[in-house]
Amino acid sequence: MLNWFKRRRKKNSSYETNEEWIEALKPPVDEQAVKKLRAQLIRGLKPALHKYVDRELDQFVEDVAQDALLKVLDNIDSFRGESKLLTWAMKIAVREGLTELRLKRYDDISIEDLKPDDESREVFSLSVASDDTSPERSLHESQLVDKVLQIINEELTQKQKTAINALMIQGLPMPVVVKQLDTNRNALYKLVHDARVKIKNKLEVEGIDPDEMLNKL
């Protein structure tokens, strides 16, 4: 982490444009830009996550912001510029926070009992969202998510539903799902592959490009 911080802020650099952010966040990273981005993430995470955190919100948000910041730095080359960089970074941070909250529940919850809810749908939606934050694009992506959830509910076997819900919607790690389903990685990969084929075929029948969704899952 310390090796990132080699460059000082340029004079008159405001970090207001995507170009300024990208230049500042690529190695050698501008430490002032990193501090500013971290502060922005913390400021945005508090209202986004407060309803899900029972206690120690400030500490949780700071930890999530730090983890998200590292992901942003590691993936800065993948930013396509379809939205403001701060919007893209905040999506990463919120997804990181929601996923971390769900991770904390594994020891006490069976994946058989996990049901899609507002929080898990938000994680799922963020995982497939593009950088484009226009109202039209957001509505389109929301409709796609609803369609995929409907197909999962109507077309998959119960075991496929459980695996897809755990991995793609709830965001559980593969080792947790393997253990709770009492299976192995190869068998779980096959189960998920078959489920994805069903989803893909149904999307094609509905006239929807399956790659738009499934390439991100």
Side-chain angles (χ1 to χ4, degrees):
M1 180 71 180
L2 291 177
N3 291 332
W4 279 101
F5 305 128
K6 299 292 187 182
R7 177 155 47 97
R8 292 285 180 178
R9 178 182 180 179
K10 291 182 178 180
K11 290 183 179 180
N12 302 321
S13 181
S14 61
Y15 312 120
E16 291 180 355
T17 68
N18 285 345
E19 290 74 19
E20 286 179 309
W21 276 114
I22 291 171
E23 181 185 0
L25 296 177
K26 283 187 175 182
V29 171
D30 182 334
E31 63 182 76
Q32 295 302 318
V34 171
K35 289 178 180 179
K36 182 172 182 177
L37 178 56
R38 186 173 185 275
Q40 294 272 20
L41 294 180
I42 290 174
R43 188 176 301 117
L45 282 169
K46 286 185 178 181
L49 300 179
H50 76 93
K51 61 183 176 181
Y52 303 124
V53 181
D54 295 331
R55 60 181 184 224
E56 298 182 352
L57 174 63
D58 288 347
Q59 184 60 55
F60 179 75
V61 163
E62 287 184 11
D63 292 342
V64 170
Q66 186 65 28
D67 292 340
L69 180 59
L70 292 175
K71 287 196 172 183
V72 168
L73 293 175
D74 286 341
N75 293 280
I76 191 65
D77 288 334
S78 69
F79 175 62
R80 298 192 297 272
E82 296 174 352
S83 66
K84 290 184 177 180
L85 185 135
L86 287 177
T87 302
W88 173 74
M90 186 55 64
K91 281 186 177 182
I92 292 175
V94 172
R95 182 168 63 242
E96 186 78 9
L98 290 172
T99 300
E100 181 62 27
L101 286 169
R102 304 196 77 78
L103 286 171
K104 294 179 181 297
R105 305 176 186 177
Y106 293 159
D107 293 338
D108 302 321
I109 296 179
S110 167
I111 64 172
E112 300 284 352
D113 299 328
L114 289 174
K115 306 297 180 185
D117 54 19
D118 290 343
E119 184 180 341
S120 61
R121 188 188 186 284
E122 188 171 354
V123 172
F124 183 52
S125 297
L126 285 167
S127 70
V128 301
S130 67
D131 292 346
D132 186 351
T133 58
S134 66
E136 295 81 6
R137 182 63 189 177
S138 296
L139 176 60
H140 176 65
E141 289 177 348
S142 179
Q143 291 172 338
L144 282 177
V145 168
D146 288 339
K147 175 57 67 175
V148 170
L149 292 176
Q150 179 185 348
I151 293 172
I152 290 172
N153 185 56
E154 296 177 354
E155 302 293 331
L156 303 188
T157 67
Q158 186 56 50
K159 195 166 186 178
Q160 287 173 335
K161 288 180 188 178
T162 299
I164 292 294
N165 178 52
L167 290 169
M168 296 183 180
I169 300 176
Q170 305 292 341
L172 274 63
M174 179 73 72
V176 173
V177 181
V178 166
K179 180 178 180 180
Q180 289 216 20
L181 288 182
D182 191 24
T183 185
N184 58 64
R185 281 182 176 268
N186 289 338
L188 184 57
Y189 281 133
K190 178 65 166 58
L191 185 70
V192 171
H193 171 76
D194 291 346
R196 284 167 58 91
V197 169
K198 286 185 179 180
I199 296 171
K200 179 178 180 179
N201 290 341
K202 187 63 177 179
L203 286 172
E204 289 177 339
V205 169
E206 297 278 348
I208 300 171
D209 179 7
D211 292 338
E212 186 172 4
M213 287 292 294
L214 297 184
N215 282 349
K216 299 179 181 181
L217 300 179

